[in-house]
């Protein structure tokens, strides 16, 4: 007996609802077990992010700071802010925003970090949190976004966000981000 169109549509909606709730549920569980961030993660790119992270590091003196592919000024910014270099880790493996997350997730898991402050620029926040929801959410790592104000860039396009969420989903399935496919 052939299933009706309505039955197929209901099945698809059910599958999408299940998939759509997977990441938020994992994030909620992680946030429940680790309500306070245990690390500051800077998604590199511009000095405003490192300055915001240095300010945050002064407020949370027990947290280490990881900068994923930061600016060339990163170390100087933290030194000038009085952050002890033993708390600062510069990781230059990432080549783009998606790999900022995919290169860090194993390290966070190894260190049993279930919650991080995620520092990025305000114009970049929506795309970064969408990618983090997929990559960190899939591993049960919660994040608290922190935006650094940057007046020089307009908000990013929805197309870039959709593309990079797709790349994060590709990473989940294949272990590859598709970075060689980006323009």
């Amino acid at each position: 007996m052939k299933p009706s169109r309505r039955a197929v549509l209901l099945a698809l909606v059910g599958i999408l609802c299940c998939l759509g709730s997977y990441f938020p549920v994992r994030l909620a569980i992680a946030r429940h077990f680790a309500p306070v961030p245990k690390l500051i993660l800077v998604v590199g790119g511009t000095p405003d992010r490192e300055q915001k992270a240095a300010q945050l590091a002064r407020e949370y003196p027990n947290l280490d700071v990881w900068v994923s592919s930061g600016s060339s000024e990163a170390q100087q910014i933290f030194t000038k802010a009085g952050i002890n270099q033993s708390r600062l880790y510069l990781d230059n493996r990432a080549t783009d925003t998606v790999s900022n997350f995919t290169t860090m997730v194993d390290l966070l898991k190894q260190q049993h970090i279930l919650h991080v402050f995620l520092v990025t620029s305000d114009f970049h926040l929506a795309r970064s949190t969408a990618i983090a929801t997929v990559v960190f959410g899939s591993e049960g790592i919660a994040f608290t976004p922190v935006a650094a104000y940057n007046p020089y860039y307009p908000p990013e396009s929805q197309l870039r966000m959709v593309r990079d969420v797709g790349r994060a989903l590709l990473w989940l399935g294949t272990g590859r981000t598709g970075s060689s496919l980006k323009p």
Side-chain angles (χ1 to χ4, degrees):
M1 178 180 355
K2 186 176 178 182
S4 70
R5 293 185 92 170
R6 185 169 189 230
V8 171
L9 182 62
L10 284 174
L12 285 174
V13 167
I15 290 169
L16 288 175
C17 286
C18 288
L19 286 175
S21 64
Y22 175 74
F23 302 120
V25 167
R26 292 286 312 258
L27 289 169
I29 291 168
R31 194 174 290 275
H32 173 75
F33 286 108
V36 179
K38 300 294 182 194
L39 183 133
I40 300 167
L41 173 62
V42 185
V43 177
T46 57
D48 62 299
R49 300 172 192 184
E50 286 121 8
Q51 290 167 350
K52 184 66 173 184
Q55 177 186 8
L56 196 60
R58 284 194 305 268
E59 293 174 36
Y60 294 89
N62 296 326
L63 299 186
D64 286 340
V65 181
W66 279 82
V67 181
S68 178
S69 296
S71 74
S72 59
E73 304 165 39
Q75 194 157 12
Q76 297 142 336
I77 289 169
F78 286 97
T79 300
K80 187 176 178 182
I83 305 305
N84 189 322
Q85 294 299 301
S86 66
R87 295 174 57 201
L88 180 63
Y89 299 88
L90 304 175
D91 183 312
N92 291 312
R93 294 176 293 162
T95 57
D96 55 39
T97 304
V98 176
S99 60
N100 282 130
F101 295 97
T102 60
T103 59
M104 292 300 299
V105 74
D106 285 337
L107 179 117
L108 296 175
K109 287 181 354 188
Q110 287 169 0
Q111 294 186 6
H112 305 288
I113 304 289
L114 295 178
H115 192 165
V116 301
F117 281 116
L118 173 61
V119 181
T120 190
S121 301
D122 53 353
F123 70 90
H124 191 250
L125 192 64
R127 184 163 59 110
S128 291
T129 57
I131 297 165
T133 297
V134 174
V135 175
F136 286 173
S138 71
E139 299 295 337
I141 300 170
F143 59 93
T144 298
V146 177
Y149 177 66
N150 189 320
Y152 304 109
Y153 294 93
E156 294 180 323
S157 74
Q158 294 289 338
L159 182 61
R160 288 184 82 180
M161 184 184 328
V162 169
R163 177 201 66 195
D164 283 354
V165 166
R167 290 179 53 220
L169 291 168
L170 176 70
W171 172 80
L172 279 180
T174 67
R176 298 183 178 272
T177 65
S179 61
S180 63
L181 303 175
K182 71 179 180 149

